Amino acid sequence: MRMLQSGWPLAPIAILLTGLFFTHAFAPHSQSYPITKTSTCRRASISAADLLYQDQQDALLRRALHEQQIIHSTSKNGVLESLIAPKVKAVAKSGTGFASASSKSSQVRIAQQMAKIVHKDGILRIDDALSPETCDALRVYVLEQQGLAKVATDENSNLSNIYYGVENRRKGRCDLQLSLLRGGFALDFNDAYEEKGFPLADSLNQLLGEKGTLRHLYEQLVTTEGEFYELAAVITDPGSNRQTIHPDLPWNRLAPLYVIFLALQDVTVEMGPTCFLTGSQSEKINELFNCGNAIQKDEVLAKSTAKLSTLNKGDCVLFDARILHCGNANESSETRALFNFSFRNPKVTGDLGYKGSMRSGYEQSMTLKDVHDAMVAYDGGDMDPFLKYGNGMTKKDMNIRRN
């Protein structure tokens, strides 16, 4: 039996878990089993399903802790390094100088250099993408929305898929799918809401508007026709468990999706920052990790370079969704909230094998250009620039809400 330097066995969990992890590798959105008034037989079936689900979660946690041991045992002094934002300078075109270059063209060339890093490493840290004041406002807004979602789903558990990208039973961790309307979830129920500004639009404007800190980079990665694929807040409460390492979707020759995690408060080691295996978006690594047995998975981990995304408020990471990563356990006394969105590469067609965390009514309805244009309108005085897209609820969602 092969052993790690730490003394952990590489093989014993292979028989039990290999099939389980292959099943879960591309399925972060597990099926929920809402309990309703029904027959005794139905209740017994649901109870059995819940027990199986809990057994799976226990097995996943054991695997996650095993992976953590491997990664830390191969790092310097058992401590993982934090991801650092690279110093990127615009490269002047031949025969030109920076003195004559416009500010916009300089930003584009910087974005080109940043895109090269993303293609190589699968991830890029960007500091100060969003102002601290806007982060504070968005965090308050997101946690208020989480409260409204809890009230709605406590009353009717069938609403869970409307509000959560990851169903609402996973311990202390959820993807909260946001509404783009001014007023947010309150408008789902035609409730009055207290006007407190529009922090979601303010944030998207700073990131993707005319002067957006991420706009030029995304244009390099997905063009202006990249589909707006996800819009959520990743919320991790104190006591939440570590995830298993995974890519977000099956491997594709071209990067299908580029994702943002933006810190709405400082993210310390204790708060469970996301761990990324740099460069692991390659076909070879994905094939070994996703199709191999537990021993092969462990060998991939032992040879990998893991980085923690400890972030200051307003910093973000942009990553290729094929990269191997996981959220760590939140061992602090504070809730960790990340602003999360992504855009799809238009060169990749067909089913990605991954349903992003976005309300169903918004799916395939907007591009990067559409978001940018909405932000230009917002700057021009349109107080509800996504009004024509509605609240993201489909007719099916509305029927569930009424019942």
Side-chain angles (χ1 to χ4, degrees):
M1 181 182 301
R2 290 200 51 176
M3 303 287 288
L4 293 171
Q5 292 178 354
S6 60
W8 278 64
L10 288 173
I13 60 172
I15 296 175
L16 173 65
L17 298 178
T18 297
L20 174 62
F21 294 124
F22 183 74
T23 301
H24 281 260
F26 312 120
H29 307 325
S30 305
Q31 177 65 46
S32 60
Y33 300 90
I35 297 176
T36 56
K37 293 181 180 179
T38 185
S39 67
T40 304
C41 240
R42 174 67 174 152
R43 285 199 299 271
S45 173
I46 291 172
S47 176
D50 285 341
L51 288 172
L52 175 60
Y53 175 87
Q54 187 56 53
D55 286 345
Q56 290 175 336
Q57 294 305 302
D58 291 344
L60 288 168
L61 177 57
R62 289 193 296 272
R63 173 64 191 180
L65 296 175
H66 177 68
E67 292 173 344
Q68 183 179 37
Q69 179 73 15
I70 296 171
I71 289 174
H72 281 264
S73 70
T74 58
S75 61
K76 187 177 180 179
N77 298 322
V79 178
L80 298 185
E81 294 182 356
S82 293
L83 192 68
I84 297 175
K87 295 180 180 179
V88 181
K89 295 182 179 179
V91 178
K93 295 180 179 179
S94 179
T96 65
F98 287 113
S100 62
S102 69
S103 174
K104 182 176 180 180
S105 63
S106 177
Q107 292 171 1
V108 169
R109 289 197 296 275
I110 289 174
Q112 291 171 341
Q113 298 303 309
M114 296 170 80
K116 289 180 180 179
I117 296 172
V118 176
H119 292 319
K120 175 179 177 289
D121 294 339
I123 185 167
L124 174 71
R125 173 175 174 157
I126 304 161
D127 290 344
D128 303 316
L130 196 62
S131 71
E133 298 78 15
T134 306
C135 285
D136 289 342
L138 184 58
R139 177 182 165 84
V140 169
Y141 173 79
V142 159
L143 295 181
E144 287 176 348
Q145 297 301 291
Q146 184 187 28
L148 293 174
K150 185 178 187 306
V151 170
T153 54
D154 282 350
E155 292 178 354
N156 182 356
S157 61
N158 291 317
L159 295 173
S160 182
N161 290 337
I162 297 173
Y163 291 98
Y164 301 104
V166 175
E167 41 73 32
N168 196 23
R169 296 189 305 163
R170 186 168 296 176
K171 183 181 177 183
R173 186 185 297 272
C174 74
D175 290 1
L176 187 69
Q177 300 178 148
L178 300 173
S179 168
L180 282 166
L181 291 184
R182 193 181 189 98
F185 293 162
L187 298 182
D188 291 350
F189 303 93
N190 299 314
D191 291 342
Y193 66 94
E194 183 181 353
E195 177 59 62
K196 297 181 180 179
F198 199 178
L200 179 56
D202 292 337
S203 300
L204 288 171
N205 195 22
Q206 284 189 29
L207 297 167
L208 301 170
E210 187 64 23
K211 298 180 180 179
T213 53
L214 302 178
R215 178 168 73 91
H216 293 298
L217 176 55
Y218 260 119
E219 288 177 354
Q220 292 297 316
L221 294 170
V222 302
T223 78
T224 58
E225 297 307 309
E227 179 190 340
F228 195 20
Y229 202 79
E230 293 179 285
L231 178 68
V234 178
I235 302 173
T236 310
D237 293 324
S240 64
N241 293 326
R242 177 187 169 93
Q243 294 177 316
T244 54
I245 293 173
H246 61 278
D248 280 340
L249 35 69
W251 191 84
N252 192 295
R253 183 177 61 84
L254 297 175
L257 198 66
Y258 292 99
V259 185
I260 286 289
F261 281 173
L262 189 147
L264 298 183
Q265 68 293 298
D266 291 348
V267 177
T268 64
V269 172
E270 293 75 22
M271 292 181 77
T274 307
C275 174
F276 292 93
L277 306 189
T278 60
S280 62
Q281 74 277 13
S282 71
E283 179 180 14
K284 180 179 179 180
I285 292 178
N286 267 253
E287 184 175 356
L288 283 172
F289 194 81
N290 298 325
C291 303
N293 57 36
I295 294 175
Q296 290 173 309
K297 292 175 187 285
D298 292 349
E299 289 175 346
V300 169
L301 297 180
K303 296 176 182 178
S304 297
T305 300
K307 299 283 187 179
L308 287 180
S309 59
T310 48
L311 302 169
N312 295 322
K313 179 166 54 180
D315 298 344
C316 70
V317 289
L318 184 151
F319 62 94
D320 179 335
R322 300 172 300 175
I323 196 172
L324 299 178
H325 64 282
C326 70
N328 281 288
N330 187 345
E331 298 174 341
S332 75
S333 59
E334 296 183 54
T335 293
R336 185 194 71 168
L338 304 176
F339 187 32
N340 167 222
F341 59 87
S342 68
F343 286 89
R344 175 175 175 158
N345 184 348
K347 293 181 180 179
V348 180
T349 59
D351 186 1
L352 297 186
Y354 168 69
K355 183 186 181 303
S357 293
M358 173 180 267
R359 284 190 152 193
S360 297
Y362 292 142
E363 292 175 5
Q364 300 181 4
S365 67
M366 285 173 272
T367 64
L368 178 59
K369 182 179 184 301
D370 293 327
V371 176
H372 170 260
D373 289 348
M375 294 299 89
V376 171
Y378 186 61
D379 270 340
D382 185 344
M383 302 304 288
D384 213 352
F386 294 102
L387 184 61
K388 69 179 180 180
Y389 300 103
N391 64 4
M393 293 173 67
T394 63
K395 290 182 179 179
K396 179 181 177 181
D397 295 335
M398 298 294 284
N399 289 333
I400 293 173
R401 191 192 67 178
R402 294 189 188 102
N403 294 333

